[in-house]
Amino acid sequence: RKEVEQDPGPFNVPEGATVAFNCTYSNSASQSFFWYRQDCRKEPKLLMSVYSSGNEDGRFTAQLNRASQYISLLIRDSKLSDSATYLCVVNRASGGSYIPTFGRGTSLIVHP
Amino acid sequence: DAMVIQNPRYQVTQFGKPVTLSCSQTLNHNVMYWYQQKSSQAPKLLFHYYDKDFNNEADTPDNFQSRRPNTSFCFLDIRSPGLGDAAMYLCATSLSTGGADYGYTFGSGTRLTVV
């Protein structure tokens, strides 16, 4: 089982749609969780951290389920500019440190 | 603005010819990471430094080496690039390991082509 797994998609949705991505992780000792956005041929950029209580930033909502070892990202009222790849990042314990491990990303295409 | 800068943005090298990629940061972060990302794949961690403490991933080929002469700079050396090493190389920083504070900040990457 991969350390961090994501459905690669693509998710093809119309503007205004609500779309949700899930990410599962294998290391139960993981401490920190993030969603990053990566545009084509660009570097990943932090979208939001994921907190145990769940958190919201505008149209974006992130949830963490430690028992089931998954995190989710919900995007409401999708915009054309939301088209990108969304990378799940989970820290794994490694020799006293926590190392970021990426999923392969979920591709989102928002069309008019 | 504080940032992570990678040079060059695009690098073309010959098969087997050593190449060095550079990364600098003005964030004064303790940790610097090097990732390799191939098309449609997850960024793969090659190694990271916590200050001067070097940590190599177990599956990173010996062909890849790194240097961190000071807090601000970190280099990725590929001793004998093969065609399979063509990829985007991403440098990232964090204040501490775990990124629990502010996550990870990435440079814009260096796209390496091997001919």
Short mmCIF file of all heavy atoms in Angstrom, two decimals, chain A residues 5 10 12-13 15 22-23 27-29 33-35 40 53-54 57 62-63 65 77-78 81 90 96 100 103 111:
data_model
loop_
_atom_site.label_atom_id
_atom_site.label_comp_id
_atom_site.label_asym_id
_atom_site.label_seq_id
_atom_site.Cartn_x
_atom_site.Cartn_y
_atom_site.Cartn_z
N GLU A 5 -2.32 7.92 -0.81
CA GLU A 5 -3.02 7.56 -2.04
C GLU A 5 -4.12 8.55 -2.36
O GLU A 5 -4.88 8.98 -1.47
CB GLU A 5 -3.64 6.16 -1.91
CG GLU A 5 -2.59 5.06 -1.84
CD GLU A 5 -3.12 3.72 -2.31
OE1 GLU A 5 -3.53 3.62 -3.48
OE2 GLU A 5 -3.12 2.79 -1.51
N PRO A 10 -9.01 12.46 -14.04
CA PRO A 10 -9.43 13.81 -13.70
C PRO A 10 -10.90 13.90 -13.30
O PRO A 10 -11.71 13.09 -13.73
CB PRO A 10 -9.18 14.59 -14.98
CG PRO A 10 -9.34 13.58 -16.07
CD PRO A 10 -8.85 12.27 -15.50
N ASN A 12 -13.93 16.14 -13.85
CA ASN A 12 -14.35 17.11 -14.85
C ASN A 12 -15.72 17.65 -14.43
O ASN A 12 -16.70 16.90 -14.47
CB ASN A 12 -14.43 16.42 -16.22
CG ASN A 12 -14.29 17.40 -17.35
OD1 ASN A 12 -14.81 18.50 -17.31
ND2 ASN A 12 -13.58 16.98 -18.38
N VAL A 13 -15.78 18.91 -13.97
CA VAL A 13 -17.02 19.43 -13.41
C VAL A 13 -17.36 20.77 -14.04
O VAL A 13 -16.47 21.50 -14.49
CB VAL A 13 -16.91 19.59 -11.87
CG1 VAL A 13 -16.56 18.25 -11.22
CG2 VAL A 13 -15.94 20.67 -11.48
N GLU A 15 -18.67 24.73 -13.97
CA GLU A 15 -18.59 25.86 -13.04
C GLU A 15 -19.75 25.82 -12.07
O GLU A 15 -20.89 25.50 -12.45
CB GLU A 15 -18.68 27.18 -13.83
CG GLU A 15 -17.38 27.72 -14.33
CD GLU A 15 -17.55 29.11 -14.93
OE1 GLU A 15 -18.16 29.21 -16.02
OE2 GLU A 15 -17.09 30.07 -14.30
N ASN A 22 -10.67 12.83 -1.85
CA ASN A 22 -10.20 12.14 -0.67
C ASN A 22 -8.74 11.73 -0.83
O ASN A 22 -8.24 11.60 -1.95
CB ASN A 22 -11.03 10.87 -0.42
CG ASN A 22 -12.38 11.20 0.18
OD1 ASN A 22 -12.55 12.23 0.80
ND2 ASN A 22 -13.33 10.31 -0.04
N CYS A 23 -8.11 11.53 0.30
CA CYS A 23 -6.71 11.10 0.32
C CYS A 23 -6.57 10.17 1.52
O CYS A 23 -7.01 10.52 2.62
CB CYS A 23 -5.83 12.32 0.47
SG CYS A 23 -4.11 11.98 0.87
N ASN A 27 0.39 5.71 7.43
CA ASN A 27 1.14 5.83 8.68
C ASN A 27 0.26 6.48 9.75
O ASN A 27 0.00 7.69 9.70
CB ASN A 27 2.40 6.65 8.45
CG ASN A 27 3.32 6.65 9.66
OD1 ASN A 27 2.89 6.45 10.79
ND2 ASN A 27 4.60 6.86 9.41
N SER A 28 -0.16 5.68 10.71
CA SER A 28 -1.07 6.20 11.73
C SER A 28 -0.40 7.22 12.65
O SER A 28 -1.07 7.95 13.38
CB SER A 28 -1.63 5.05 12.57
OG SER A 28 -0.57 4.35 13.21
N ALA A 29 0.94 7.30 12.60
CA ALA A 29 1.65 8.26 13.44
C ALA A 29 1.79 9.62 12.77
O ALA A 29 2.41 10.52 13.33
CB ALA A 29 3.04 7.71 13.78
N PHE A 33 -1.01 17.52 8.14
CA PHE A 33 -1.66 17.21 6.87
C PHE A 33 -1.93 18.51 6.13
O PHE A 33 -2.28 19.53 6.75
CB PHE A 33 -3.00 16.49 7.13
CG PHE A 33 -2.86 15.32 8.06
CD1 PHE A 33 -2.96 15.49 9.43
CD2 PHE A 33 -2.63 14.05 7.56
CE1 PHE A 33 -2.82 14.42 10.30
CE2 PHE A 33 -2.50 12.96 8.42
CZ PHE A 33 -2.60 13.15 9.79
N PHE A 34 -1.75 18.45 4.83
CA PHE A 34 -1.91 19.66 4.03
C PHE A 34 -2.52 19.32 2.69
O PHE A 34 -2.38 18.20 2.19
CB PHE A 34 -0.54 20.31 3.75
CG PHE A 34 0.30 20.56 4.98
CD1 PHE A 34 1.18 19.59 5.44
CD2 PHE A 34 0.23 21.75 5.65
CE1 PHE A 34 1.95 19.79 6.56
CE2 PHE A 34 1.01 21.98 6.78
CZ PHE A 34 1.87 21.00 7.23
N TRP A 35 -3.15 20.31 2.11
CA TRP A 35 -3.52 20.25 0.69
C TRP A 35 -2.71 21.32 -0.04
O TRP A 35 -2.66 22.49 0.38
CB TRP A 35 -5.01 20.52 0.49
CG TRP A 35 -5.87 19.35 0.84
CD1 TRP A 35 -6.61 19.17 1.96
CD2 TRP A 35 -6.08 18.18 0.03
NE1 TRP A 35 -7.26 17.97 1.91
CE2 TRP A 35 -6.96 17.35 0.74
CE3 TRP A 35 -5.62 17.77 -1.23
CZ2 TRP A 35 -7.39 16.12 0.25
CZ3 TRP A 35 -6.05 16.55 -1.72
CH2 TRP A 35 -6.92 15.74 -0.99
N CYS A 40 -0.12 23.38 -13.92
CA CYS A 40 0.70 22.67 -14.89
C CYS A 40 2.10 23.27 -14.99
O CYS A 40 2.26 24.48 -15.21
CB CYS A 40 0.00 22.68 -16.25
SG CYS A 40 0.81 21.68 -17.49
N SER A 53 -10.06 19.34 13.80
CA SER A 53 -11.45 19.77 13.95
C SER A 53 -12.08 20.14 12.62
O SER A 53 -13.24 20.53 12.56
CB SER A 53 -11.51 20.97 14.89
OG SER A 53 -10.64 21.99 14.43
N GLY A 54 -11.29 20.03 11.55
CA GLY A 54 -11.77 20.48 10.24
C GLY A 54 -11.62 21.98 10.13
O GLY A 54 -11.67 22.71 11.13
N ASP A 57 -11.80 27.60 4.47
CA ASP A 57 -11.19 28.84 3.97
C ASP A 57 -11.96 29.23 2.72
O ASP A 57 -11.71 28.71 1.63
CB ASP A 57 -9.71 28.62 3.65
CG ASP A 57 -9.02 29.90 3.20
OD1 ASP A 57 -9.68 30.96 3.14
OD2 ASP A 57 -7.82 29.84 2.89
N ALA A 62 -11.57 21.54 4.51
CA ALA A 62 -10.73 20.36 4.69
C ALA A 62 -11.17 19.61 5.94
O ALA A 62 -11.54 20.24 6.94
CB ALA A 62 -9.26 20.77 4.80
N GLN A 63 -11.15 18.30 5.86
CA GLN A 63 -11.52 17.46 6.99
C GLN A 63 -10.45 16.39 7.20
O GLN A 63 -9.83 15.94 6.24
CB GLN A 63 -12.86 16.75 6.73
CG GLN A 63 -14.04 17.67 6.54
CD GLN A 63 -14.65 18.10 7.87
OE1 GLN A 63 -14.27 17.62 8.91
NE2 GLN A 63 -15.59 19.03 7.80
N ASN A 65 -9.92 12.64 9.19
CA ASN A 65 -10.49 11.51 9.92
C ASN A 65 -9.35 10.58 10.31
O ASN A 65 -8.87 9.78 9.51
CB ASN A 65 -11.51 10.77 9.05
CG ASN A 65 -12.23 9.67 9.81
OD1 ASN A 65 -11.63 8.94 10.60
ND2 ASN A 65 -13.52 9.52 9.56
N ASP A 77 -18.88 25.77 -5.24
CA ASP A 77 -19.00 26.81 -6.26
C ASP A 77 -17.72 26.91 -7.11
O ASP A 77 -17.07 27.96 -7.17
CB ASP A 77 -19.29 28.16 -5.57
CG ASP A 77 -19.63 29.25 -6.54
OD1 ASP A 77 -20.06 28.94 -7.67
OD2 ASP A 77 -19.44 30.44 -6.20
N SER A 78 -17.38 25.81 -7.75
CA SER A 78 -16.13 25.74 -8.50
C SER A 78 -15.99 26.85 -9.53
O SER A 78 -16.97 27.21 -10.20
CB SER A 78 -16.05 24.39 -9.23
OG SER A 78 -16.09 23.32 -8.34
N SER A 81 -10.84 28.94 -12.54
CA SER A 81 -9.48 29.08 -12.03
C SER A 81 -9.11 28.02 -11.00
O SER A 81 -7.95 27.95 -10.59
CB SER A 81 -9.31 30.48 -11.39
OG SER A 81 -10.27 30.67 -10.37
N VAL A 90 1.15 14.39 3.61
CA VAL A 90 1.06 13.81 4.94
C VAL A 90 2.47 13.64 5.47
O VAL A 90 3.37 13.20 4.75
CB VAL A 90 0.37 12.42 4.87
CG1 VAL A 90 0.36 11.75 6.22
CG2 VAL A 90 -1.04 12.58 4.33
N GLY A 96 12.76 10.41 14.32
CA GLY A 96 12.60 11.55 15.20
C GLY A 96 12.11 12.80 14.50
O GLY A 96 11.81 13.80 15.14
N PRO A 100 7.61 15.18 4.92
CA PRO A 100 6.43 15.30 4.07
C PRO A 100 6.42 14.30 2.92
O PRO A 100 7.41 14.16 2.20
CB PRO A 100 6.56 16.74 3.52
CG PRO A 100 8.01 17.05 3.60
CD PRO A 100 8.54 16.29 4.78
N GLY A 103 0.97 12.70 -2.11
CA GLY A 103 0.22 11.85 -3.02
C GLY A 103 0.50 12.30 -4.44
O GLY A 103 1.11 13.35 -4.67
N HIS A 111 -15.09 23.28 -16.23
CA HIS A 111 -15.42 23.79 -17.56
C HIS A 111 -16.63 24.71 -17.50
O HIS A 111 -17.45 24.64 -16.58
CB HIS A 111 -15.63 22.62 -18.53
CG HIS A 111 -16.71 21.68 -18.12
ND1 HIS A 111 -18.06 21.93 -18.35
CD2 HIS A 111 -16.67 20.49 -17.49
CE1 HIS A 111 -18.78 20.94 -17.89
NE2 HIS A 111 -17.97 20.05 -17.36
#
